[in-house]
Amino acid sequence: MKSRDALMRLKRFQVDEKRRRLLQIETMIAEFKRMAGELDREIAAEETRAGIADRAHFAYPTYARAAIQRRDNLLQSAQDLEGQREDARAELEEAFEDLKKFEILDDRETIKEKAMEAVREQAELDRVAAGMRDRKSTRLNSSHIPLSRMPSS
């Protein structure tokens, strides 16, 4: 029973750990996309300020070039994390299925243990009842005095 409880806690911990990892990846993706959006706005503002939107122009703002590179890196990182997210989601589903299988087995074991306990209790009650019946019949038999032992008149 204790080993099953420990194993159940381990399975739940694994599911929670996989869930935390998936949430962390999703948070990072959202953060990278938010930062890329901010950089898009900064790039547009810098192009407006400089009056040059052609990236091939020799006077294109250096800050805008650096922001574009950073934005592209963030979007590439978000894209890479998408693959990791799918892997993490698959791992979470697998861990959850393992947990459910184990919970079903644990429930079956618990039901079997309760049934065995009920059988043991019933056997004990039957033994007690048989003992009481035997004592009662012994008492009844001993209260009868055989005719041969009755006093003659």
Side-chain angles (χ1 to χ4, degrees), residues 56-143:
H57 193 279
F58 74 94
Y60 190 76
T62 306
Y63 175 76
R65 284 185 206 275
I68 289 170
Q69 183 63 44
R70 184 160 186 237
R71 180 202 61 202
D72 292 345
N73 288 343
L74 284 169
L75 292 175
Q76 182 60 45
S77 294
Q79 181 99 21
D80 294 343
L81 285 172
E82 295 284 344
Q84 289 182 23
R85 176 173 58 182
E86 293 309 311
D87 293 343
R89 187 171 284 138
E91 289 175 11
L92 175 61
E93 287 174 11
E94 184 179 320
F96 190 71
E97 286 174 11
D98 281 350
L99 175 62
K100 282 298 168 192
K101 287 177 191 174
F102 188 77
E103 285 177 341
I104 288 168
L105 289 174
D106 187 51
D107 288 346
R108 286 181 186 163
E109 282 294 317
T110 302
I111 289 169
K112 190 169 28 170
E113 286 174 0
K114 286 181 180 180
M116 293 298 290
E117 182 63 27
V119 167
R120 282 192 292 273
E121 286 178 9
Q122 188 60 47
E124 178 65 21
L125 289 173
D126 290 347
R127 187 187 63 75
V128 168
M132 291 175 67
R133 187 182 61 235
D134 290 345
R135 277 184 279 168
K136 188 174 182 181
S137 69
T138 304
R139 218 177 25 223
L140 287 175
N141 288 339
S142 65
S143 68

